[in-house]
Amino acid sequence: MISDDLVGCDFSSRPCRRKPIVMATGSAAKGRVLLAGLERIESLDGFEQWLRRDRAWIAAFDFPFGLPRELVMQLGWPAHWPVLIRHYAALSRPEIRAAFAAFCDARPAGHKFAHRAADNPAGSSPSMKWVNPPVAYMLHAGVPRLMAAGVHIACLNPGDSRRVALEGYPGLLAREVLGKRPYKSDDRAKQTADRLIARKDLITALEHGQTRLGLRLKVSHAQRDALIDDASGDSLDAVLCLMQAAWAARQGAPRYGLPLEMDPLEGWIVTAQAIGSCELTP
C-alpha cells in the first residue's frame, strides 16, 4: 500500500526569511518513508495559501491543537472545541498572556501551568506556555488557520477529508533516539559539533527504522547533508513530523491512531502512547 502526499510541518508563529515555516513532503510504501522535498514559507499568509491548495494530504503540524481542560474550565471559556478555538482566535496575544499569567500567579510554585493529558506521554510543553517555547502563540497562529481553510482536523473538527490535519511533536521521536542529547539551536553560539553529531545519529536511526513507529526514512545524499547542515533543526523537525504523519496514515481513518480516550477538548499528539494503552502499531 502506498501513502502519497504526506506532510510534516515545523511551525513558527512569526515566520520570516530567517525563521520560516518548513514543510517536508513525501510518500510511504512498504514501511519506508520517502522524503520528496522541503518547502520554506516565510509568512502566515503563505501558510494559509499552502493550506488552501487543491491537493490531498495527511499532515502532522508541530503546534498544539488544544488547551488544558483545567485551564479552560478555570477561565470560563467555551468547553466545545470549535467554539473554544473561535474564542481563542478572537483574543490578542497580550490578552492571552494576561489571562494565562493570572492563572499561573494564583497557583503554587511547581504547579503554575496546567497540562493536557498528552503532555506526560509526549514530554511536551504545556500548550498554555507563552515563552520558551511560545506554544500558546503557535496554537493561536496555527489552529484557526486550519479551521478557516476547511481542513479535516481528526477527532476535533470535521472538514475536507482530502486534507487531514494532526498534531505532531518532533521532540517525542527525537528523544526516543537521543534521550536528552540536544540536536539543534537557533543560537549560533550553541550550534556545536556535539549537536551536529546528534543530528547525524538521529537521521541514521530514522533510516534504519530504529524507533517504535516501525518506519524507515529514505533520503538522498544531498537531502541527508541538508538535514545535517541545518543547525536550527527546523528541517529535521519537519521530517520527524513527516514520519509521524506516515504512521498516522497507516492507522487510517477515522482516528489516524489517536486514542479512544482522547479528550475532545484538549486534542492529542499523534504517536504519543496513551497511558494504559498497548504499544503502538507500526
Side-chain angles (χ1 to χ4, degrees), residues 16-253:
C16 59
R17 179 168 296 183
R18 184 187 63 82
K19 187 69 174 177
I21 297 167
V22 182
M23 312 294 280
T25 57
S27 60
K30 298 180 179 179
R32 297 205 315 172
V33 180
L34 175 65
L35 175 63
L38 296 167
E39 181 178 354
R40 289 171 170 79
I41 301 172
E42 298 177 1
S43 70
L44 290 174
D45 286 343
F47 179 65
E48 290 182 18
Q49 293 169 13
W50 188 96
L51 292 173
R52 295 178 184 275
R53 291 179 188 172
D54 185 20
R55 56 175 290 188
W57 43 259
I58 296 173
F61 294 89
D62 179 22
F63 52 80
F65 281 18
L67 293 166
R69 179 174 288 275
E70 179 185 6
L71 171 71
V72 173
M73 296 296 99
Q74 181 67 33
L75 295 177
W77 287 359
H80 182 51
W81 189 87
V83 183
L84 172 64
I85 296 302
R86 287 192 287 270
H87 172 82
Y88 192 67
L91 300 173
S92 66
R93 290 188 180 186
E95 288 172 328
I96 291 169
R97 185 189 183 284
F100 291 177
F103 176 90
C104 291
D105 288 345
R107 289 162 66 91
H111 301 278
K112 293 293 186 181
F113 292 100
H115 293 263
R116 296 185 296 163
D119 288 338
N120 185 28
S124 54
S125 296
S127 60
M128 65 174 295
K129 281 194 75 175
W130 59 90
V131 290
N132 299 325
V135 286
Y137 298 154
M138 293 167 70
L139 191 165
H140 186 256
V143 176
R145 286 177 167 83
L146 296 180
M147 289 184 65
V151 309
H152 180 74
I153 305 174
C155 301
L156 293 174
N157 198 54
D160 178 4
S161 60
R162 296 173 64 250
R163 296 172 294 149
V164 179
L166 298 149
E167 179 182 343
Y169 178 48
L172 172 59
L173 201 52
R175 274 196 300 273
E176 183 181 340
V177 174
L178 298 175
K180 295 182 179 181
R181 291 170 61 196
Y183 64 97
K184 61 179 182 176
S185 180
D186 289 328
D187 183 349
R188 287 187 177 274
K190 295 181 179 180
Q191 294 175 353
T192 62
D194 285 345
R195 282 176 163 84
L196 183 145
I197 293 169
R199 290 194 297 278
K200 289 182 178 180
D201 291 346
L202 179 51
I203 294 167
T204 297
L206 294 175
E207 289 176 317
H208 292 168
Q210 294 171 341
T211 75
R212 62 201 173 103
L213 301 189
L215 297 169
R216 290 173 291 124
L217 175 67
K218 177 65 176 178
V219 293
S220 68
H221 292 300
Q223 288 172 332
R224 195 179 201 278
D225 289 343
L227 294 175
I228 292 168
D229 291 343
D230 182 359
S232 72
D234 294 345
S235 299
L236 184 50
D237 281 351
V239 169
L240 290 168
C241 285
L242 175 67
M243 300 296 288
Q244 292 178 317
W247 180 87
R250 294 188 76 175
Q251 311 313 302

